[in-house]
Amino acid sequence: MQLTEFERTMLAGEHGRAVKKAMQILTALGRIYCAERLIAVTSVQISGVSYANLGEAGLHFLSEMADGGGCARVLTTLNPAGMDIENWAALGISPEFAADQTRVLDAFERMNIITSATCTPYLIGNTPHFGEHIAWAESSAVCYANSVLGARSNREGGPSALAASLTGITPEYGYHTAANRQPHLTINVEVNLSENDDFGAFGKVIGEKLEAAGNKKVPYIRGIESASVENLKSFCASVATYGGVALFHMEGITPEAAQVVIPKDEIIITLTDIQDARQSMIDTSSADVDFVSLGCPHLSIKEIARIAELLVGKQVTKEFWITTARPMKQIADRMGYTAIIEAAGAKFAADTCCVVAPIEGRFKALATDSAKACYYAYAKNKFKTVLKPFDEVVAEALK
Ligand code: F3S
């Protein structure tokens, strides 16, 4: 791999221990994927922020990088943490966990990384434009950035995203090159999709079909008449979870769809496929539900406004988490949505979510509109799940 003079000095340790370590990570990755060079990135999103996932080993790595002089060279934001940074006690998080999580956030802050703690950085200002090279971790956000925004990112891990942040570069391979952004399979959709959970079920169907088709990882999707930001973030989370998809093209909706060659290989998705996928994410009845959560991926302000509208003057009967980015919560505060939601007994869980918070075994069954949350609720926290449309999830909390 060709390195510039400046990159050689970074690798030689002339810019500090952390930059040297970062360059070792990036050049090793570049060699593995046969990249010819490193390219500049303008934005980074780092995953692996919850202490529940990092543990002491992960925290030690971050502290070493901060002690070694690591400092973000480009706009860098963070995935959700294991707790609401301001309101962790109300969510049942222990003081011991809160102390450890705070040490993680402090390490990032020392590296000048914005401790935003959200999986929807594109809703709060880390919003790359078409064609921009970026290095993002968090599978749902990578899929959104590549597909909906038309930016270019591989699915980074936490360490490689941090390395890109501290150097401002990443190896040029994968989705950074035009050739790898061409679709492999055409998906014809013969069903109307409107709700987030429809798009989540659709993501599961496509994800599983692409998994079965081996390395055909970039679908070209036809037949979707319209899709909101909220629908697309739900779809991205699902198709990334169930199929490892980091890029799709959606005719008439995503920006590169008009520029790619439409694949001849095609499959049809019917209502039955969607219904089967939906059914597979319901493994319990509403009677078992003792936990309700909306915001996987983190909620937009439009979704929070809708929750407030549905909860006004009512009382929830179950633990109900509203998960979102802190800036979104602040808008909700200003608009009076927070007051309505909290008066109804629901809880904001800003900076975190029902998957990365340390709540394993605390509840029996989760009601949500997110296919991704269904997957991890069982895989990580051993909760049963009920997938429902957004408004019905709110109704579930009121039963
Ligand atoms: Fe975001 Fe947590 Fe879902 S990180 S995509 S809300 S699992």
Side-chain angles (χ1 to χ4, degrees), residues 79-80 119 138 140 237 295-298 323 352-356 370 372-373 376:
N79 238 28
C119 52
E138 169 47 40
S140 68
C296 175
H298 274 175
T323 67
T352 189
C353 78
C354 66
V355 170
V356 298
S370 165
K372 177 173 179 176
Y376 284 106

Side-chain angles (χ1 to χ4, degrees), residues 198-208 234-235 238-240 242-243 274 371:
D198 291 336
F199 278 85
F202 176 47
K204 183 172 191 280
V205 173
I206 296 189
E208 289 176 348
S234 176
F235 175 69
S238 178
V239 79
Y242 291 95
I274 303 292

Side-chain angles (χ1 to χ4, degrees), residues 51-65:
Y51 181 80
N53 299 337
L54 282 170
E56 272 311 297
L59 175 55
H60 179 72
F61 171 73
L62 293 175
S63 302
E64 285 276 291
M65 296 300 261

